[in-house]
Amino acid sequence: MYKVDLPVDQSIERAVDRRRSAEATRKARIFNTRFRVMGVDLDALNQQVQAKKHQQNMERQRDKAFDKLRKYHDDVLLQQDIDEREKQAALHTDLTRYWATHQRAEDSRDADLKCGLKGAFWITIPEGELGPASMQVFQGEGMGEEQKRREQMKEAERDLRAQREDNERRLMRDKCREMLLSKEMVLQDLRGVQLHALEEECKKAASIALDNYNKALAAEQAEKWKEQHRREQRENLAEILHTMTSDMMTESAEAEVRGGRPPRVLIDKWKGMSREQLSAIHREREEQRLEKQRQRDAEKVQNAAWELQLLKLSRAAEEEERREAELRREKRIQTGRLNMQLAKEQQAHQEYMNKVLYTNKPTKDYFSQFNTSSR
């Protein structure tokens, strides 16, 4: 009916273009053999890092914006509260001024009753011309007003007296409470003073005990030093005596056979070896020579046995190698025959596939329909 030129929504087209460009970039990255086979896609990782940093930066900016908006709202609310209070104060002032200006008690219709006037307004119209509705003061009105006022004053005095008595009782209770609190605080102070005195006495006793313990330790340490000094003096004297009576100082020739120790040679007193010592050395050397000869003979016999065993093992290994070589040759012959047979069968099957079964070859369009998307 009406032709309305509505604005074209470009957001859908922009979203479609954005998805298409992202898909093309992803296909280029996935179908790239270099990145897929040789290593990691560094560009994609850098893009992810940049996207993450951008997202974090956007989140920080969003938080800052939210903080500023929150602060602005708080300031606005505070200003609104202040304005509301000022408006209420101004309204109250205007209302009070209006009451004082336009709604005075003197200007009311019953001002003669409220303002202490015991008669009616002065009316210039004669009373004979006024009806019953114009009457303002009636007979018997205001009787007992003084008695009522006195009773009200007495009741007010009783109320004031009761309030004063309540205040006095409350003050007495507060004073009693404060007195009890002060007594409790005094008792706590006394208890604290007593505890402090006991603590000081305990510290003094502990200090005295520690001093006595330190003195006892010092005396014990001094006694230990004295005993150590005496022991060192005895050891030094014993060492001096041993040195003075030792073989070095006395130059005794029998020192090599005393004390149950192995004999040792005194260089300054040695006169050569005896015949018994020489004969013992010759006997020991001969025994060592014979033992060495027996060891050589045993080693020769053992080496001969090992060489014989190795010869037998080498012959057996050569025989085993010949048998294995013969088996491998036979197996190669059988494998060659089997491969020739399989090749003939494969060739016959391929000829059947190419000439009989598959006569229509697929074109490039058939292969180009694959791997067109990364999904």
Side-chain angles (χ1 to χ4, degrees), residues 113-330:
L113 302 176
K114 292 183 178 179
C115 298
L117 302 176
K118 299 303 180 181
F121 290 109
W122 294 102
I123 302 175
T124 58
I125 303 173
E127 293 182 0
E129 298 179 2
L130 298 176
S134 300
M135 292 188 295
Q136 297 182 3
V137 180
F138 300 93
Q139 186 179 3
E141 185 176 2
M143 294 178 60
E145 186 175 358
E146 294 296 332
Q147 183 67 24
K148 187 188 298 182
R149 187 178 295 109
R150 284 195 295 271
E151 292 295 332
Q152 289 178 353
M153 293 177 64
K154 289 180 181 179
E155 186 176 359
E157 289 178 358
R158 286 195 299 271
D159 293 340
L160 290 174
R161 192 181 302 110
Q163 291 179 3
R164 186 167 57 253
E165 290 176 357
D166 291 339
N167 291 331
E168 290 177 355
R169 285 194 295 271
R170 187 168 63 255
L171 290 174
M172 290 296 295
R173 287 196 298 271
D174 294 339
K175 288 182 179 178
C176 292
R177 189 181 299 108
E178 291 178 357
M179 188 181 299
L180 291 174
L181 290 174
S182 63
K183 288 182 179 180
E184 183 67 24
M185 292 178 67
V186 170
L187 290 175
Q188 290 180 0
D189 294 338
L190 291 175
R191 192 178 296 109
V193 171
Q194 293 176 358
L195 291 174
H196 183 68
L198 291 174
E199 186 177 359
E200 291 294 332
E201 291 179 359
C202 292
K203 287 182 179 179
K204 189 181 294 182
S207 178
I208 293 171
L210 183 61
D211 292 338
N212 294 331
Y213 179 70
N214 291 331
K215 290 178 181 178
L217 285 178
E220 185 179 358
Q221 190 70 21
E223 186 64 27
K224 287 182 179 179
W225 280 109
K226 290 180 181 178
E227 181 64 26
Q228 184 178 0
H229 183 65
R230 289 193 293 269
R231 185 171 62 254
E232 288 178 356
Q233 286 183 351
R234 290 195 301 270
E235 290 177 355
N236 291 333
L237 291 175
E239 186 177 358
I240 292 171
L241 180 61
H242 176 71
T243 303
M244 293 177 64
T245 59
S246 64
D247 295 335
M248 181 184 68
M249 299 298 292
T250 57
E251 295 183 356
S252 176
E254 289 82 12
E256 60 177 352
V257 294
R258 282 190 316 204
R261 296 175 298 179
R264 56 181 180 174
V265 177
L266 299 178
I267 300 175
D268 55 345
K269 299 178 179 62
W270 190 65
K271 303 299 182 180
M273 298 178 65
S274 63
R275 292 185 178 181
E276 290 80 5
Q277 293 177 346
L278 291 174
S279 61
I281 290 173
H282 291 314
R283 285 195 302 273
E284 183 69 22
R285 186 165 57 187
E286 185 65 22
E287 290 177 359
Q288 292 179 358
R289 188 184 65 77
L290 294 175
E291 182 65 24
K292 191 68 174 177
Q293 185 64 34
R294 285 194 297 271
Q295 290 179 0
R296 290 197 191 96
D297 296 339
E299 289 178 357
K300 288 181 181 179
V301 173
Q302 188 176 4
N303 291 333
W306 275 110
E307 289 177 358
L308 182 60
Q309 185 67 21
L310 289 174
L311 182 60
K312 292 180 180 180
L313 291 175
S314 64
R315 290 178 180 176
E318 290 176 357
E319 185 66 24
E320 185 67 24
E321 289 180 358
R322 283 196 298 271
R323 286 197 298 270
E324 290 179 357
E326 186 66 25
L327 290 175
R328 286 196 297 271
R329 188 177 65 80
E330 293 178 358

Side-chain angles (χ1 to χ4, degrees), residues 27 31 36 367-375:
K27 286 167 61 177
F31 295 139
R36 189 175 66 250
F367 295 101
S368 61
Q369 66 180 341
F370 301 106
N371 292 333
T372 58
S373 175
S374 62
R375 302 295 178 180

